[in-house]
């Protein structure tokens, strides 16, 4: 009880929850987890499974750190610890930094998760980030619409999964209109109003690349620049040089539902 015991996680997964909202989502998504540990001032902070996954720390990008200035662990929201490169302090140990005994809060052995554990842990990380960053009043509907747009365009999630995911984020974020977000996946898929990462970045006041980093946790890529290039490639026609550094460029496209052809002089 006066020492610190580290367990090497060869074939064990420890989900280390650093942010308080990560604990809320872990409780929602991992309610059937049989083994949980923690300590007096950081209870229910470790969820254990008998599995082997790639280790990863989920931290907010630098330009979003202002959203977690008062969080105990700063930008780090949670972490998947697994494989022989990772260790975790186990119950029975005296935590060297906080001088508290680590304890089992629930113990039923290290069991395998029924389902895709990697997906669910990454989903918890993303939900935590989107809740910590949740938009202020007046921008919440666009924020949730943009989240739905990204998930519709770049994942294989069904409408019901997107609906529940966004509703739970709104609820945990104390959105007083959370009920209105319940069908975001269904409504956005059926509408033309599909915002994406640029809209989220605009609301949060950060780079689109930073939003892309967060969604990359579930395997989504930032395709905003790719989409812009694709539009440009499809729209730009013949380029005619009529003088030194002077060009006529034929552009075709659609504006407010109407097709147009323009010659732009550069």
């Amino acid at each position: 009880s006066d020492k610190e015991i580290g367990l090497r996680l060869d074939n064990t997964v420890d989900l280390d929850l650093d942010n308080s909202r990560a604990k809320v989502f872990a409780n929602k998504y991992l309610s059937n987890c049989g083994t949980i540990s923690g300590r007096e001032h950081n209870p229910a902070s470790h969820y254990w499974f008998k599995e082997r996954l790639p280790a990863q720390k989920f931290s907010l990008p630098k330009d979003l750190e202002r959203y977690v200035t008062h969080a105990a662990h700063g930008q780090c929201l949670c972490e998947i610890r697994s494989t022989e490169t990772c260790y975790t302090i186990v119950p029975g140990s005296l935590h060297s930094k906080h001088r508290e005994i680590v304890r089992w809060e629930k113990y039923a052995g290290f069991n395998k998760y029924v389902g895709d554990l990697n997906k669910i842990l990454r989903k918890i990380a993303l939900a935590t980030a989107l809740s910590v960053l949740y938009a202020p009043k007046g921008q919440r509907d666009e924020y949730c619409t943009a989240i739905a747009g990204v998930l519709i365009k770049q994942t294989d999630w069904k409408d019901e999964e997107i609906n529940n995911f966004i509703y739970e984020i709104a609820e945990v974020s104390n959105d007083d209109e959370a009920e209105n977000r319940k069908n975001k996946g269904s409504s956005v898929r059926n509408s033309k109003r599909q915002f994406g990462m640029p809209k989220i970045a605009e609301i949060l006041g950060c780079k689109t690349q930073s939003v892309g980093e967060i969604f990359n946790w579930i395997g989504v890529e930032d395709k905003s620049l790719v989409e812009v290039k694709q539009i440009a490639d499809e729209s730009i026609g013949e380029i005619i040089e009529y003088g030194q550094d002077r060009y006529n460029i034929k552009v075709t496209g659609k504006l407010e539902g109407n097709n147009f052809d323009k010659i732009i002089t550069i």
Side-chain angles (χ1 to χ4, degrees), residues 12-15 26-27 29-38 44 46-51 91 103-114 117 120-121:
T12 306
V13 168
D14 166 28
L15 176 65
N27 186 52
Y29 286 107
L30 301 171
S31 58
N32 61 348
C33 178
T35 301
I36 301 171
S37 64
H46 293 263
Y47 282 62
W48 300 80
F49 300 92
K50 189 67 177 175
E51 199 152 337
R103 65 188 183 221
W104 294 118
E105 297 180 24
K106 187 178 176 184
Y107 187 81
F110 293 178
N111 300 314
K112 283 190 72 68
Y113 177 79
V114 178
L117 182 62
I120 210 72
L121 299 189

Side-chain angles (χ1 to χ4, degrees), residues 117-152:
L117 182 62
N118 192 42
K119 177 182 177 179
I120 210 72
L121 299 189
R122 290 169 177 277
K123 197 172 180 180
I124 289 169
L126 178 62
T128 302
L130 294 173
S131 177
V132 167
L133 301 170
Y134 204 70
K137 283 189 174 183
Q139 294 182 297
R140 289 174 176 174
D141 192 67
E142 287 189 341
Y143 182 74
C144 292
T145 298
I147 293 170
V150 174
L151 297 176
I152 287 167

Side-chain angles (χ1 to χ4, degrees), residues 70-256:
H70 300 297
H73 292 84
Q75 292 164 250
C76 186
L77 305 178
C78 58
E79 179 182 3
I80 297 174
R81 294 183 183 175
S82 186
T83 74
E84 59 277 355
T85 62
C86 297
Y87 293 77
T88 289
I89 303 166
V90 289
S93 301
L94 181 68
H95 199 292
S96 61
K97 292 180 182 177
H98 302 280
R99 310 305 293 173
E100 294 178 330
I101 297 293
V102 180
R103 65 188 183 221
W104 294 118
E105 297 180 24
K106 187 178 176 184
Y107 187 81
F110 293 178
N111 300 314
K112 283 190 72 68
Y113 177 79
V114 178
D116 188 338
L117 182 62
N118 192 42
K119 177 182 177 179
I120 210 72
L121 299 189
R122 290 169 177 277
K123 197 172 180 180
I124 289 169
L126 178 62
T128 302
L130 294 173
S131 177
V132 167
L133 301 170
Y134 204 70
K137 283 189 174 183
Q139 294 182 297
R140 289 174 176 174
D141 192 67
E142 287 189 341
Y143 182 74
C144 292
T145 298
I147 293 170
V150 174
L151 297 176
I152 287 167
K153 291 176 186 175
Q154 300 193 52
T155 72
D156 59 359
W157 293 17
K158 304 300 183 187
D159 288 355
E160 185 179 0
E161 185 174 8
I162 296 172
N163 291 343
N164 292 336
F165 181 72
I166 293 175
Y167 171 67
E168 287 168 353
I169 291 170
E171 188 181 43
V172 172
S173 306
N174 298 314
D175 184 344
D176 54 8
E177 296 184 343
E179 290 292 321
N180 296 339
R181 325 294 179 205
K182 268 190 168 181
N183 297 306
K184 271 296 173 188
S186 308
S187 60
V188 171
R189 194 184 297 274
N190 295 326
S191 75
K192 296 178 181 178
R193 192 172 175 237
Q194 291 188 6
F195 298 138
M197 292 186 197
K199 173 57 74 174
I200 297 173
E202 177 189 321
I203 293 169
L204 299 179
C206 69
K207 296 179 289 188
T208 303
Q209 180 185 351
S210 298
V211 177
E213 284 181 38
I214 295 169
F215 277 94
N216 186 246
W217 297 345
I218 61 165
V220 169
E221 297 178 9
D222 174 11
K223 294 184 177 179
S224 54
L225 292 179
V226 175
E227 290 172 356
V228 168
K229 184 180 183 302
Q230 183 179 353
I231 291 169
D233 288 345
E234 292 172 355
S235 301
I236 295 173
E238 189 178 5
I239 301 175
I240 302 166
E241 184 174 10
Y242 67 90
Q244 187 176 0
D245 295 330
R246 297 186 179 197
Y247 304 87
N248 282 333
I249 302 176
K250 184 177 181 182
V251 179
T252 60
K254 182 174 285 191
L255 182 64
E256 296 179 351

